[in-house]
Amino acid sequence: MCPYRLVLEHVTSRWGVLVLIQLLDRPYRFSELRRAIGRVSEKMLTQTLQTLERDGLVHRDAKPVIPPRVDYSLTGLGREAAGQVRDLALWTERRMPDVERAREAYDEAKRA
């Protein structure tokens, strides 16, 4: 797989999109981020964060305190990618009625 396709897959994955959009607001601790996103397993969120960190999109700040505190935030590169992903999400929300009409027309044509 081409490297850019792999990054595109990471950024546009189900959880990657939600993590990036959520982190646009502010840094989050792991448990806060998991609650904010909802319905994501701890394992999946961990894998997603590690992947995005490896790609240079997410910064992991582990503070040496007890109990341990880890904050996640976007890097400059991550902020740029998240902005693009958010714009696509907003476009999807705005154009959903058109998509639904197209689906209905397609389904109707298939039935006929």
Side-chain angles (χ1 to χ4, degrees):
M1 185 177 272
C2 297
Y4 71 88
R5 285 188 181 181
L6 194 55
V7 173
L8 185 60
E9 186 176 297
H10 297 162
V11 169
T12 61
S13 71
R14 177 181 183 182
W15 302 116
V17 166
L18 297 175
V19 165
L20 289 170
I21 290 173
Q22 197 64 48
L23 288 176
L24 266 172
D25 293 336
R26 63 177 178 84
Y28 279 83
R29 293 179 74 176
F30 183 88
S31 57
E32 288 180 306
L33 187 57
R34 187 170 178 217
R35 279 192 302 274
I37 291 172
R39 296 178 49 181
V40 60
S41 70
E42 187 174 316
K43 178 182 177 185
M44 198 70 237
L45 182 56
T46 298
Q47 288 176 349
T48 301
L49 287 166
Q50 287 174 344
T51 298
L52 294 174
E53 181 183 7
R54 183 170 184 257
D55 288 343
L57 306 176
V58 168
H59 174 71
R60 181 179 185 271
D61 182 21
K63 299 194 180 3
V65 295
I66 297 179
R69 180 183 172 105
V70 180
D71 293 308
Y72 294 92
S73 61
L74 293 175
T75 63
L77 190 61
R79 186 160 291 290
E80 184 179 342
Q84 298 293 320
V85 169
R86 182 193 56 208
D87 289 347
L88 180 58
L90 292 172
W91 175 88
T92 304
E93 184 179 346
R94 189 174 62 251
R95 299 302 296 225
M96 200 61 211
D98 299 313
V99 171
E100 288 171 346
R101 280 192 294 279
R103 287 176 176 174
E104 289 168 7
Y106 178 89
D107 293 345
E108 185 62 35
K110 282 291 192 185
R111 283 192 287 276

